[in-house]
Amino acid sequence: MTWHEIAERCFQRRYSDFDVTVGVIVGSADAVVVDTRASVAQGVRLRDDLRELGVQNPIVVNTHGHFDHCFGNAAFTGGARWGHASLPAYLAETARPMLAREFPGWAEKVETDLLLAPDRLVTDRAELDLGDRVVELRHFGPGHTDGDVVVWAPDARCAFTGDLIEQSGPPAYGADSFPLEWPATLAALLRTVDGVLVPGHGAPVDQEFAVRQREEIDMVARRVRETHAAGLGVEEALTAGGWPYPVETLREAVRRGHDHLGRRSGSG
């Protein structure tokens, strides 16, 4: 594992634990590290690895609140920590119970780790001045979670997208995902960002890959609506066919989407 410069002074490192990507954007006066790995110990190792780039006390940005992207925050106390406005409550109330359901072994391993929330919050857009370049933090809407933040270096045409885009596997529809809104969020992202796109898991991708994945995610949303309109249950919907991804990866997408549509029709 090493740092790869994927655009001008924009670096990616893929860690084998959870195949998570960490990004770094270096400026003349400061640097941004994008995500901090899955535990405080892993965050400490990341902090050590950043020395290879000459980076100390960076600004931290969390792309979202899932454990593999922000449980290392407590290793970074020298600079500001940025994230979506929903993250403090999520980390305080939801992150550990969700981890215990999905990865109980890891939950036990990190049960005493301090979860340090961002202290600078983004609702829509923020700018970080790194000296000779400006980095934008953009929230385009709900998708993988309700708090996805994209880190965009416009001068290098490089964006770290978190798990809004996936390369190493199908998009991850979890119990806090928004399958019906995800296509519009990606469309908004692609109207703003054009260049190298760095997923939270996997290799960098180009615009063509991202457009194709947005179309697939839109197909998921359409099938969720169609199967709900047909009165199908979750398992019936999954076996009905027409899905762009393996059905075992879509159970939460169908459940979440059907529940949302049910609440919407019930309120009408």
Side-chain angles (χ1 to χ4, degrees), residues 169-231:
Y173 290 95
D176 55 353
S177 64
F178 290 79
L180 301 179
E181 293 84 353
W182 200 333
T185 296
L186 271 185
L189 184 160
L190 293 171
R191 285 194 297 269
T192 301
V193 169
D194 179 12
V196 179
L197 306 173
V198 188
H201 304 272
V205 302
D206 58 15
Q207 198 85 357
E208 182 179 352
F209 177 98
V211 168
R212 186 168 62 251
Q213 188 162 99
R214 195 213 73 83
E215 292 171 350
E216 294 167 348
I217 288 173
D218 185 56
M219 188 183 303
V220 171
R222 283 189 280 113
R223 288 298 290 146
V224 166
R225 290 188 175 94
E226 290 166 357
T227 56
H228 180 266

Side-chain angles (χ1 to χ4, degrees), residues 12 23 31 56 85 88 99 107-108 122 124-125 134 137-139 141 167 170 191-192 224 264:
Q12 177 200 25
Q56 298 184 36
L99 179 59
E108 184 176 347
V122 183
D124 178 33
R125 182 175 183 271
V134 172
L137 309 183
R138 302 293 297 266
H139 173 65
Q167 187 276 331
R191 285 194 297 269
T192 301
V224 166
R264 185 182 294 173

Side-chain angles (χ1 to χ4, degrees), residues 66-107:
H66 289 164
F67 75 100
D68 48 334
H69 297 267
C70 67
F71 272 32
N73 281 1
F76 296 88
T77 57
R81 297 179 307 280
W82 286 82
H84 188 261
S86 63
L87 256 61
Y90 177 87
L91 290 174
E93 300 166 7
T94 308
R96 287 193 188 278
M98 181 172 290
L99 179 59
R101 288 193 301 271
E102 297 180 351
F103 295 92
W106 194 259

